[in-house]
Amino acid sequence: MGIAVAGMDFLSDRASMMREALQKSQTITDNVVSILGSFDSRLSALETAMRPTQIRTHAIRKAHENIDKSLKSAEVILAQFDLSRQAEAKILKGPHEDLEGYLAAIDQLRSNIRFFSSNKNFKNSEGVINHSNTLLAKAISKLEDEFKQRLNSYSKPIEPDRLFDGLPNSLRPSSGSPGNQGEPGGRGPSHNHSEHQNVDLETAVYTPPTLIPPRIIPLLHDLAKQMVRAGHNQQLLKIYKETRSLVLEESLRKLGVEKLGKDDVQKMQWEVLEAKIGNWIHFMRIAVKLLFAGERKVCDEMFEGFDSLSDQCFAEVTASSVSVLLSFGEAIARSKRSPEKLFVLLDMYEIMRELHSEIETIFKGKACNEIRESALGLTKRLAQTAQETFGDFEEAVEKDATKTAVLDGTVHPLTSYVINYVKFLFDYQSTLTQLFQEFETGDGTVSQLASVTMRIMQALQTNLDGKSKQYRDPALTHLFLMNNIHYMVRSVRRSEAKDLLGDDWVQIHRRIVQQHANQYKRNAWQKILQCLSIQGLTSSGGGSSVGDGGNSSGVSRALIKDRFKIFNMQFEELHQRQSQWTVPDTELRESLRLAVAEVLLPAYRSFLKRFGPLVENGKNPQKYVKYTAEDLERMLGEFFEGKNINEPKR
């Protein structure tokens, strides 16, 4: 109990002490608050007293900042003046000694003009700008002179040999210049044409020559860029055109290109014109794939970043050269049509087709529209003229009225000409297919070519039928037709025309050849074979002789003699005449001789065996039995050899 009372007293004392402590703390807090309030009022007073000083200090600091800015601006302006003086000094020296430094000075001058134009508050800025602009105009004028001088210095005509080095081996001239009248590259304008060669040419690699040294192009590009920035595009175009167009024209002239028009073409002999067309085809390849391609590269590099200017410069520079080349093609396409021109027209059409993609690529852009359209127009005109010439040829074959005498019945020059013509056409089969597509009529191009070929062959046959009527001897008429149609059949069988005309055509015309051979035998040998017939050999009394087992009983010796005399005379006449006739094909000639021998010799042997003794037993038997069967066989071997071909008889 005592312990509990003691604990309560202890707690009471502790609580009393805590109350006293709290009272002291509150007193201290009140005192501190009172002191802080006194500080606040004194600080406010101090701040009020310091404000003027702060304002003056800020003003001084701002003044210093403005002075610093002014000094820096002055330094920048002075630096611009210094750079202007340096640039002016370089510009006044000219571009010859240090072109790169000169170009840098122009850039600096432009930078100064921009600087002072944006700092118009500087009181002398207008004067500085005017002076700089005047200096810049002089600099650009000197730059134009420098561009012209450098472009002239490095623009030289390309020698033909350098151009030939860029050609595929198959097109390089073996000797001489293609500007001569010979066949360039060993390839004639129309002969020895083959379509696999065209395929090779399409995949061949061409290497355009370097027209301006690569190290010079960047400098010319920088000069051009400064002129463009100065707005001197037209001056730049004029300088480039005047310099480079003359170089291209001279390069083509050295190659052998001539400026020829329709009147010039009309006056030329065909052999000369044909050679010039062959050269033109070669020149077109060289011009487009090498010369113009090289010029396009120069333009693109020199005017990089200025595409429209590049296209315009290229169009202006090449226009005259292209015109010279295309005008010759136009002159040929518009000249008087003739069959021999078809192949050169096809050659020209081929080269224009071959170059089409290059022309579209090289002569790109709006500025070259006219050149592209001219090239395409020539291609279409060549196609049209070739097709019209094709039609003319068919008509000319049918109506050919040449009086060329073929006295020996051999193959007529017209036949060989037409067949060779058709064979050449098949060397151009893909070209003709493309040509027919230019003027599509609804039929397939292959069947269209077959149809045209058949019409030409039929026209030839019609003409030959007419020519065959010139012969007085029906046997020679049929021999002539046999020879010519056989030549047609043999030529077709050995060429691509067989696939186009078909086996039916070949078989039909082989039968026609056989029919004419049969007609020849009938007309030439029917009369003489009648001499070897027993018909009409009846007894006439007095001169009869019985022999040979009675086989010739009742037959007049005089009639037999007469028959032998007539046979000898007729055979000798046939031998004399038909030895002058010609069957040029060895196989056909031997076949025809054999066919005659198979009819004549058995009949002669039989007649000789049966009636020969009647004559041999009489006077002068050799006068009547002049030939043995072997003699006749030997003499038949001399038929159709074309001997004594100038004999006027037919």
Side-chain angles (χ1 to χ4, degrees), residues 441-457:
T441 57
D443 296 332
T445 53
V446 174
S447 62
Q448 196 172 355
L449 184 56
S451 175
V452 171
T453 306
M454 284 184 178
R455 291 203 306 268
I456 290 173
M457 292 295 202

Side-chain angles (χ1 to χ4, degrees), residues 248-400:
L248 283 183
E249 289 169 22
E250 181 62 15
S251 298
L252 289 176
R253 191 195 64 77
K254 283 176 173 284
L255 189 63
V257 174
E258 302 173 80
K259 191 170 185 178
L260 298 171
K262 186 177 178 181
D263 291 341
D264 301 311
V265 165
Q266 296 285 29
K267 295 173 185 175
M268 285 183 195
Q269 294 292 325
W270 168 241
E271 292 77 10
V272 175
L273 183 59
E274 187 179 27
K276 287 190 181 295
I277 291 170
N279 288 338
W280 179 84
I281 290 167
H282 202 50
F283 298 154
M284 282 298 296
R285 274 203 191 93
I286 291 175
V288 173
K289 291 177 179 279
L290 299 179
L291 205 54
F292 296 153
E295 190 67 32
R296 179 85 244 189
K297 184 180 179 184
V298 168
C299 278
D300 287 346
E301 291 177 352
M302 194 177 299
F303 304 110
E304 184 181 0
F306 309 102
D307 291 346
S308 62
L309 180 61
S310 175
D311 292 344
Q312 192 174 3
C313 282
F314 182 69
E316 294 274 355
V317 163
T318 55
S320 176
S321 295
V322 171
S323 176
V324 169
L325 288 164
L326 295 186
S327 63
F328 178 78
E330 288 283 351
I332 298 297
R334 294 179 182 277
S335 63
K336 185 178 179 181
R337 298 194 302 269
S338 61
E340 65 270 15
K341 285 185 181 176
L342 177 59
F343 299 107
V344 295
L345 287 167
L346 293 175
D347 282 333
M348 294 171 76
Y349 174 70
E350 274 185 357
I351 191 61
M352 293 306 296
R353 276 184 55 215
E354 179 188 325
L355 298 176
H356 176 72
S357 60
E358 278 95 346
I359 290 172
E360 290 291 310
T361 302
I362 295 170
F363 294 90
K364 61 184 178 180
K366 185 178 179 181
C368 297
N369 276 349
E370 188 175 342
I371 293 175
R372 291 197 305 274
E373 288 172 3
S374 295
L376 183 60
L378 174 58
T379 306
K380 290 184 175 180
R381 192 162 290 110
L382 287 167
Q384 182 179 357
T385 306
Q387 191 186 47
E388 291 170 352
T389 304
F390 214 158
D392 292 346
F393 178 69
E394 180 185 339
E395 184 178 352
V397 169
E398 187 167 359
K399 296 181 178 179
D400 176 77

Side-chain angles (χ1 to χ4, degrees), residues 545-549 552 557 560 564 606-618 621 625:
S545 174
V546 178
D548 194 24
S552 58
R557 187 191 302 270
I560 295 299
F564 273 112
S606 175
F607 190 86
L608 186 62
K609 181 178 180 182
R610 184 171 184 177
F611 301 110
L614 288 178
V615 178
E616 290 169 355
N617 294 332
V625 183

Side-chain angles (χ1 to χ4, degrees), residues 72 135 164 219 426 470 550 621 646:
K72 288 178 180 177
L135 190 60
F164 300 153
L219 284 176
F426 282 94
Q470 298 173 0
N646 293 322

